[in-house]
Amino acid sequence: MSREKKAIKKPKTKKKTDYYDYSLLAVIILLTCFGLVMLYSTSSYMAELNYGDDMYYFKKQAAISFGCIIIALGISQIDYHILTKFTGVLYGMAAILMILVKTPLGRTANGARRWLNLGPLSFQPSEVAKIAVIVCLSYMIVNMGRNIKTLKAFMILAGSGSALAFLAYACTDNLSTAIIIFCITMGLIFIAHPKVKPFLIAAGVGIVLIIIFVMILSSSLETSSSFRLRRILVWLHPEDFASGDGYQTIQALYAIGSGGFLGRGLGNSIQKLGSVPEAQNDMIFSIVCEELGILGGIILLLLFAYLLYRLFFIAQNAPDMFGSLMVSGIFIHIALQVIFNIAVVLNLMPNTGVTLPLVSYGGTSIVFLMSEMGLALSVARQIKFKEPERLL
């Protein structure tokens, strides 16, 4: 009996350090490829009409997308802790770049002055602000430690994030991006703060005030000179503005309705032939539903759900608080953009101009989204799991 006890040894544990989240990488590539297929299908007619090349949008987006995937893989090999040395620089750079939009370096496109021209580069600096608020607030929260529960810490964090949100609104006139930056700020504070009740109360009061505002607006205003108020009116009664501001919304709903459950078939959309303006941008989900049906839309949403699940997994298992908060901020950003875009297409909220991540056309959006994915993969690469070493 004693010999048997000596022969049986407790299993040893061995640290597994060579982890890489190939599942996250796979879903990123799947979404990118899906987006490129739908982009070509959506934009080919108008590209041929306007530029004489049906692959005009597709070629630009494909080159940027696959280049950015390589960049994301490169970022994933860098230790994300290096960002802690540049948080102040990143925050200041984001603020300065947004202010520069008001100078002659700013560029107006589609009636909005949101782009910045720096030599051959043209991009939206508000996208830099999204990454800045994620990285900088994560670093600040870690440094605050237990002081995060104090009112002073809350005011500093909320003020830092709100300042970038205000600049995004004041300098680039981009309310939707300002809302996203503010929501990322409050989301990170909520995750790190030990108390939940104050946030729930504040959220409840905010929702009630928004409902009251919308009800008052609906009953007292019929027309408005403010385009943001008009967007709310269009959202409430799109059929009353079917030939004007509500045209895009009505046509997008027609596209979804005509697609049915299985869709008209890939490439067979009718609404993309000019009925839905700029369909390759923030209204691309309506063409997905028209060509691939509700089933295709559900599959796309499931891909996004899996992407968010992988980000949640990385945040839960990150080696430290900084990595966990940073990936949580990326999670909040992606989730907000998907929710806002789908809600606008379905007319569940006023038009915001938010693109569908990795699917809609837009070089700036892809560059910074892939940079965030690279950071998430960098955090995932440092996850260490312990597995029992089995004895044969």
Side-chain angles (χ1 to χ4, degrees):
M1 190 74 177
S2 60
R3 289 180 180 177
E4 291 178 0
K5 286 182 178 180
K6 288 180 180 179
I8 300 173
K9 296 180 180 180
K10 292 182 179 180
K12 296 179 180 179
T13 59
K14 183 180 180 181
K15 287 186 178 181
K16 184 180 179 181
T17 57
D18 298 328
Y19 178 75
Y20 198 89
D21 202 321
Y22 290 103
S23 297
L24 176 59
L25 180 60
V27 75
I28 291 170
I29 294 174
L30 275 173
L31 277 168
T32 302
C33 292
F34 183 95
L36 288 172
V37 171
M38 290 309 306
L39 175 65
Y40 175 70
S41 177
T42 301
S43 66
S44 57
Y45 174 77
M46 295 306 297
E48 178 67 34
L49 202 63
N50 296 328
Y51 302 100
D53 181 4
D54 64 337
M55 299 185 73
Y56 176 81
Y57 295 109
F58 174 83
K59 287 188 292 188
K60 291 179 66 176
Q61 189 81 346
I64 293 172
S65 296
F66 289 115
C68 288
I69 288 175
I70 294 172
I71 292 172
L73 291 173
I75 293 174
S76 71
Q77 299 300 316
I78 301 172
D79 185 353
Y80 64 91
H81 293 99
I82 196 172
L83 290 173
T84 59
K85 300 178 181 179
F86 303 102
T87 52
V89 174
L90 182 60
Y91 187 94
M93 183 175 68
I96 291 170
L97 288 174
M98 286 191 289
I99 293 172
L100 286 176
V101 174
K102 288 292 188 180
T103 70
L105 293 174
R107 179 171 66 89
T108 302
N110 297 325
R113 193 179 180 86
R114 297 174 182 174
W115 281 260
L116 188 63
N117 287 332
L118 294 178
L121 297 177
S122 180
F123 62 98
Q124 293 188 53
S126 57
E127 296 294 331
V128 181
K130 293 176 185 176
I131 295 181
V133 77
I134 291 170
V135 174
C136 296
L137 258 67
S138 298
Y139 177 73
M140 291 171 67
I141 290 170
V142 170
N143 277 353
M144 287 178 177
R146 293 182 179 179
N147 292 329
I148 185 68
K149 60 186 177 181
T150 63
L151 179 61
K152 180 182 177 181
F154 174 83
M155 296 300 292
I156 291 173
L157 292 171
S160 300
S162 298
L164 286 181
F166 173 76
L167 286 175
Y169 173 70
C171 297
T172 68
D173 198 26
N174 196 338
L175 180 60
S176 57
T177 296
I179 292 172
I180 289 174
I181 293 172
F182 179 76
C183 289
I184 292 172
T185 300
M186 299 311 296
L188 288 174
I189 298 173
F190 173 77
I191 291 169
H193 203 278
K195 294 182 180 179
V196 177
K197 189 176 179 180
F199 292 91
L200 295 179
I201 294 173
V205 171
I207 291 171
V208 170
L209 290 176
I210 290 172
I211 292 172
I212 292 172
F213 171 75
V214 171
M215 290 176 65
I216 293 173
L217 184 66
S218 177
S219 60
S220 61
L221 285 179
E222 293 183 358
T223 59
S224 173
S225 58
S226 170
F227 78 93
R228 290 197 173 90
L229 291 180
R230 285 203 310 273
R231 282 184 175 182
I232 296 176
L233 292 172
V234 169
W235 165 56
L236 294 171
H237 306 288
E239 64 281 354
D240 294 341
F241 303 88
S243 60
D245 294 333
Y247 178 79
Q248 188 181 43
T249 299
I250 292 292
Q251 296 301 320
L253 292 175
Y254 283 161
I256 295 171
S258 65
F261 185 72
L262 296 176
R264 293 176 175 272
L266 185 62
N268 294 329
S269 168
I270 295 175
Q271 298 300 105
K272 71 182 181 184
L273 305 178
S275 295
V276 179
E278 300 291 331
Q280 70 273 8
N281 293 329
D282 49 314
M283 286 292 172
I284 196 169
F285 185 73
S286 64
I287 308 301
V288 171
C289 291
E290 184 183 7
E291 295 191 347
L292 304 181
I294 301 299
L295 179 62
I298 291 173
I299 291 172
L300 178 57
L301 293 180
L302 287 175
L303 284 174
F304 277 118
Y306 187 68
L307 171 67
L308 293 173
Y309 164 70
R310 295 314 305 172
L311 292 174
F312 177 78
F313 174 84
I314 294 169
Q316 287 288 94
N317 295 279
D320 54 35
M321 190 66 171
F322 177 60
S324 179
L325 286 170
M326 200 162 59
V327 178
S328 297
I330 296 170
F331 176 99
I332 295 168
H333 175 206
I334 301 295
L336 283 173
Q337 286 213 190
V338 172
I339 292 170
F340 283 4
N341 181 271
I342 303 300
V344 166
V345 173
L346 298 178
N347 199 40
L348 298 177
M349 65 179 290
N351 198 323
T352 58
V354 174
T355 57
L356 191 60
L358 305 176
V359 178
S360 295
Y361 176 74
T364 300
S365 177
I366 290 290
V367 169
F368 291 102
L369 280 170
M370 286 297 185
S371 299
E372 291 181 16
M373 295 299 102
L375 289 176
L377 288 169
S378 175
V379 175
R381 200 170 62 87
Q382 297 197 31
I383 294 175
K384 296 177 176 63
F385 295 111
K386 291 183 178 181
E387 293 183 351
E389 187 179 283
R390 300 188 180 278
L391 300 177
L392 298 176

